[in-house]
Amino acid sequence: YSSAETPIVANGSMGKECGEVEANITTDAAVNRDVIVPNVLNRNFRFEIWSQCGLGIFDIPFNMVALLVMVTGWRAWELHMKILHEWRRSGGKSWNRFIKEADHCVRNAIIEEAFNLIRDFICLIPFSVVLVTLYRLPELLITLYSKLSSKPLQSDPIFEVTACDCDFPAVGSPKLYFKLRAKGTADIENNSVSIVKSVSSCLQVVSPNLWPALVNEMGSVVASAAQSSLPLKLIDGQTIGITDFEVGASETLWVKVDTGRVKKSTVVKKLHRLPPDTKLMIQLEGGAITQSGGPIERVVLLRIILSLSEIASIMERET
C-alpha cells in the first residue's frame, strides 16, 4: 500500500463504517450506564422518593394507634388476625406486594379496632355501676355468657332435610326425627361420607326475633337462661342417634332434647303465647369425613328453618 492511499481509507466508506461503529459503542455505553447506575435526576425516581416519604409520614399516626391497641391487649388479637388475613390475601410472600395492595385495608383495620377499643372502655363505666350495685349482675352475667357461647357454623350442610317429625310424650323430653338426603356429590353417592362419633355434636337454635319475644312473655332472666344453654351438647346413643344413622341405608337421624320432666301441654301452651310467625333456624353440627381418605372436619350436618306455629303443630301430634 502506498502512502497516497491512506487519506482514501480515512475518508472512504471504511472510515464511515468505523465512525458508525464508534457512535454505536458510545450510545450503547450510555444506555448500559443508565441501566447499571440509575439516573437520580430521572423524574419518576424523584417522584418515588417523595411518594414513599409522604406515605411514611402519613403512616406514623397509624403506627402509634396500632401500638396502643397492641399494648392494651383487649383488641390486639382481632387486629392481628385482620392484618394476617390481608397478608395471606396478598400472597403472603412479598412484603412490597403486601404494602402496595393491602396498606389501605390495614389502616382501616387499625382505625376500626381503635374505635372498638374506645367503645369498650366507655362501656366499663356502666359495667362498674352494675358490678357495684349487684342487683342486675346475675342477669348481665347470664347474657354475657350466652353472647360468648360458640357461634354457629356458616358453611353449607352436607345433608338435606326431606321430612321431620317429633315424638313428645305427655311427660318427658321430646325426640326429633330428621329424614335426611345426602346432597348430590360423587363422594356422598359412593358412601364415602360418614359422621364421626368421636367428635361431639351440638344443636344450635338461631332466631333474632325469638329472644325479644321470650323477654316480653317470660321475662329477661328466662330468656337469658334459655339463650345461654345453647348450643345443646349431644351424646351419641343418649341424645343423638349417630350409631343408628348410615348414609344410603338408614337415613333417619334422631335428636333428643333433654328438658327434664316437663309436660308436653305446658310447652305447647307457652309456644302458642309467642308470635306464631317467628322463624327458628335449627342447625346440627358435628364431625364428618367429607372426602374419601380425607381428614375429620367439623361441619354442619343439617339445617332447617321452621316457624313456631309449625313446631307447635308437630308437637301436638300423637306421634
Side-chain angles (χ1 to χ4, degrees):
Y1 295 96
S2 64
S3 59
E5 296 176 351
T6 304
I8 298 176
V9 174
N11 298 325
S13 61
M14 185 178 294
K16 293 180 179 180
E17 293 177 357
C18 293
E20 291 177 357
V21 170
E22 290 178 358
N24 291 335
I25 293 175
T26 303
T27 305
D28 293 341
V31 172
N32 293 334
R33 185 177 67 251
D34 289 340
V35 173
I36 298 174
V37 181
N39 185 3
V40 296
L41 299 179
N42 186 278
R43 184 176 61 85
N44 294 332
F45 189 73
R46 292 196 301 269
F47 176 79
E48 188 68 22
I49 293 176
W50 283 107
S51 175
Q52 294 301 325
C53 178
L55 291 175
I57 297 174
F58 182 70
D59 285 338
I60 290 177
F62 291 95
N63 293 333
M64 296 176 63
V65 173
L67 180 62
L68 177 64
V69 175
M70 289 295 184
V71 169
T72 55
W74 178 247
R75 308 293 301 187
W77 178 254
E78 285 77 6
L79 180 58
H80 167 73
M81 293 304 297
K82 288 182 179 180
I83 296 177
L84 182 61
H85 171 72
E86 296 299 332
W87 168 258
R88 291 173 177 173
R89 196 164 65 91
S90 64
K93 296 181 179 180
S94 173
W95 176 258
N96 292 331
R97 181 179 177 183
F98 171 68
I99 291 297
K100 290 180 180 180
E101 296 184 0
D103 55 348
H104 62 286
C105 296
V106 173
R107 296 190 192 104
N108 293 338
I110 292 174
I111 295 300
E112 180 182 357
E113 294 305 325
F115 276 110
N116 290 336
L117 180 65
I118 296 173
R119 178 198 60 186
D120 292 342
F121 272 118
I122 294 176
C123 288
L124 288 177
I125 299 175
F127 178 76
S128 301
V129 174
V130 176
L131 187 63
V132 172
T133 56
L134 297 177
Y135 177 65
R136 311 291 297 184
L137 184 60
E139 181 180 348
L140 177 61
L141 293 179
I142 293 175
T143 304
L144 290 177
Y145 178 79
S146 63
K147 297 297 183 183
L148 294 176
S149 299
S150 59
K151 296 181 179 179
L153 298 177
Q154 303 295 324
S155 57
D156 295 330
I158 62 176
F159 295 106
E160 181 182 359
V161 180
T162 59
C164 64
D165 208 340
C166 177
D167 183 9
F168 201 162
V171 178
S173 302
K175 199 172 185 179
L176 308 177
Y177 294 90
F178 299 98
K179 183 148 183 82
L180 305 180
R181 179 176 59 195
K183 290 196 172 181
T185 62
D187 289 333
I188 292 180
E189 290 176 356
N190 295 332
N191 296 335
S192 59
V193 173
S194 60
I195 304 177
V196 181
K197 295 187 293 183
S198 59
V199 179
S200 61
S201 303
C202 65
L203 187 68
Q204 294 272 11
V205 178
V206 181
S207 176
N209 300 325
L210 175 63
W211 312 118
L214 280 177
V215 171
N216 295 332
E217 293 294 333
M218 305 177 189
S220 57
V221 176
V222 176
S224 299
Q227 193 173 6
S228 63
S229 64
L230 298 173
L232 297 176
K233 302 298 182 181
L234 304 175
I235 302 175
D236 183 34
Q238 299 181 17
T239 52
I240 186 171
I242 296 179
T243 305
D244 304 331
F245 179 80
E246 184 179 353
V247 178
S250 178
E251 296 184 343
T252 300
L253 181 66
W254 59 266
V255 175
K256 185 177 182 180
V257 182
D258 190 4
T259 57
R261 301 291 297 175
V262 66
K263 293 183 178 181
K264 174 181 176 179
S265 58
T266 303
V267 175
V268 174
K269 186 185 299 183
K270 291 184 179 296
L271 284 177
H272 283 300
R273 290 170 54 185
L274 299 174
D277 56 345
T278 302
K279 299 291 185 180
L280 273 72
M281 186 186 75
I282 301 174
Q283 178 170 294
L284 182 62
E285 302 174 1
I289 300 176
T290 58
Q291 296 179 356
S292 180
I296 300 175
E297 303 176 14
R298 186 159 190 85
V299 298
V300 178
L301 300 177
L302 64 91
R303 181 184 294 137
I304 184 173
I305 299 177
L306 297 172
S307 64
L308 289 181
S309 59
E310 292 173 334
I311 294 176
S313 63
I314 293 174
M315 290 185 173
E316 287 176 340
R317 297 177 184 174
E318 294 296 330
T319 58

